[in-house]
Amino acid sequence: MPRPTAHAVHLVSRPDGAPTAGNFAFVEERVPALAAGEALVENTHQSVDPYMREEMEEGGWELHAPLEGRTLGRVVESRAGTLPVGALVFHRQAWRTHSVVTAGSASPLPDLDGVPLSAHLSVLGGTGLSAWVGLTRIARLQPGETVFISAAAGGVGTAAGQFARLLGAGRIIGSTGSAAKAAHLTGHLGFDAAFDYHDGPIADRLREAAPEGLHVYLDNVGGDHLEGAISAIRDHGRIAWCGAVAQYNHLGNPPAAPRNLFDVVGRSLRLEGFLVRDHRDAHPELYEFLVPHLRSGAVVPDETIVDGFEHVVDAFLGMLRGTNTGKMIVRLAE
């Protein structure tokens, strides 16, 4: 019997500035026969994330080869006893309709009644874990404190705003790229204030939103946002640096460092960067904290779902341009 055909996306060239669809190619691949210990997964959902822009550079993803990323799927053929047919699994062999995995590279998903499957790529996945680690382990947010979240309408930002409210933050402020997104943050996600960063200097907007200063900043942008937050944060404030979307398309010529960076010393601030992959041990505590709130409706996964594998590149490029609200996810199959 002939093996099924899978569809995949390969990176075929490195971007010069902002990536384009021309940097990618759709290819067909014949699914190989399974070896002992392997399983074939039909992928159902794929995450597209800002870090993938860095992977497009030299030293990241290889050209003309399968790409990686967070993915959910269902086992449709198996020679691995721990991955039975029908099991839903998480793995990182993304950008393809079918993946051959092993028990070491795929994790069965827990059965969580009342929790949508896509949440395992948003608030329960690496996106939510980034927000959780940034707030609780790095910034150590305390009840009553004022927190500022940049790129607040993205996947990490929308999770962090909801988590901060449940953790007892006194005031939650977000920056985003449009007035409509700012209204979404305050109208639907519990932010106390939000602003379009195009409307003026970040420091001025923060002083308006938090005249008594910030205690915590969760940074997803870098650049002028970091400079503005340093200006507006209180003495002994904490900055958890998660991402730097301001420079992802300028990796060869990044923006200048914040001009007030020495204030980190003069005002006894703490600025710490982190990679979520170094905090995988925090996943159980995220599940323990979040699953009851998901079931009760206190937290609603904020997601933009794009249907169809043929749109995965468009979804990735759109995410980089900010066309999504919340986590951008591609639904590959039901």
Side-chain angles (χ1 to χ4, degrees):
M1 180 181 295
R3 301 296 292 163
T5 298
H7 298 273
V9 172
H10 289 184
L11 184 69
V12 295
S13 62
R14 309 287 179 192
D16 181 12
T20 69
N23 297 126
F24 299 90
F26 286 83
V27 300
E28 288 189 356
E29 300 174 340
R30 184 69 66 184
V31 175
L34 297 181
E38 293 182 334
L40 176 63
V41 175
E42 182 181 9
N43 296 322
T44 62
H45 296 77
Q46 177 187 325
S47 173
V48 288
D49 298 284
Y51 83 86
M52 293 175 169
R53 173 61 187 86
E54 294 180 276
E55 293 297 318
M56 299 179 72
E57 296 295 314
E58 195 71 40
W61 288 335
E62 295 183 11
L63 296 180
H64 307 287
L67 308 180
E68 65 82 43
R70 302 181 181 103
T71 311
L72 310 179
R74 187 179 299 277
V75 176
V76 295
E77 182 183 348
S78 181
R79 294 190 63 192
T82 58
L83 299 174
V85 171
L88 289 167
V89 299
F90 168 89
H91 63 88
R92 298 195 65 94
Q93 295 184 36
W95 298 84
R96 65 201 89 173
T97 56
H98 297 75
S99 302
V100 175
V101 302
T102 65
S105 65
S107 303
L109 294 173
D111 184 10
L112 300 175
D113 289 339
V115 176
L117 180 62
S118 58
H120 292 284
L121 291 180
S122 59
V123 290
L124 287 174
T127 297
L129 190 61
S130 295
W132 176 257
V133 168
L135 292 175
T136 64
R137 291 192 170 187
I138 309 302
R140 300 174 189 172
L141 177 68
Q142 300 300 307
E145 291 188 325
T146 296
V147 57
F148 170 46
I149 302 164
S150 57
V156 173
T158 54
Q162 296 186 79
F163 294 177
R165 177 63 67 211
L166 293 169
L167 291 167
R171 186 163 177 79
I172 305 167
I173 301 162
S175 69
T176 186
S178 72
K181 287 185 176 182
H184 178 70
L185 294 176
T186 56
H188 298 281
L189 296 179
F191 283 71
D192 297 290
F195 58 87
D196 179 350
Y197 65 81
H198 298 101
D199 287 346
I202 303 299
D204 292 347
R205 302 309 310 273
L206 287 174
R207 291 190 187 98
E208 294 169 3
E212 296 184 1
L214 310 171
H215 297 91
V216 165
Y217 172 40
L218 180 61
D219 189 8
N220 296 299
V221 175
D224 62 343
H225 277 69
L226 180 55
E227 180 174 306
I230 290 172
S231 175
I233 205 165
R234 299 159 61 115
D235 288 358
H236 304 283
R238 291 96 67 201
I239 300 170
W241 199 348
C242 181
V245 296
Q247 71 179 60
Y248 286 162
N249 288 329
H250 309 281
L251 295 173
N253 184 28
R259 294 166 294 181
N260 56 354
L261 192 58
F262 192 66
D263 285 354
V264 171
V265 175
R267 292 168 48 210
S268 300
L269 307 179
R270 183 163 61 83
L271 189 161
E272 183 177 348
F274 68 98
L275 294 172
V276 71
R277 68 182 180 219
D278 295 330
H279 296 271
R280 292 194 178 104
D281 64 307
H283 231 143
E285 64 190 58
L286 173 63
Y287 269 75
E288 183 179 0
F289 168 82
L290 191 55
V291 169
H293 293 304
L294 287 168
R295 286 174 169 157
S296 71
V299 172
V300 178
D302 202 45
E303 301 169 349
T304 296
I305 304 292
V306 174
D307 279 305
F309 179 75
E310 67 274 19
H311 299 302
V312 64
V313 172
D314 293 335
F316 170 66
L317 298 177
M319 177 274 303
L320 292 177
R321 296 193 303 269
T323 61
N324 56 300
T325 300
K327 182 75 190 73
M328 181 75 93
I329 295 172
V330 184
R331 184 161 49 203
L332 309 177
E334 292 297 334

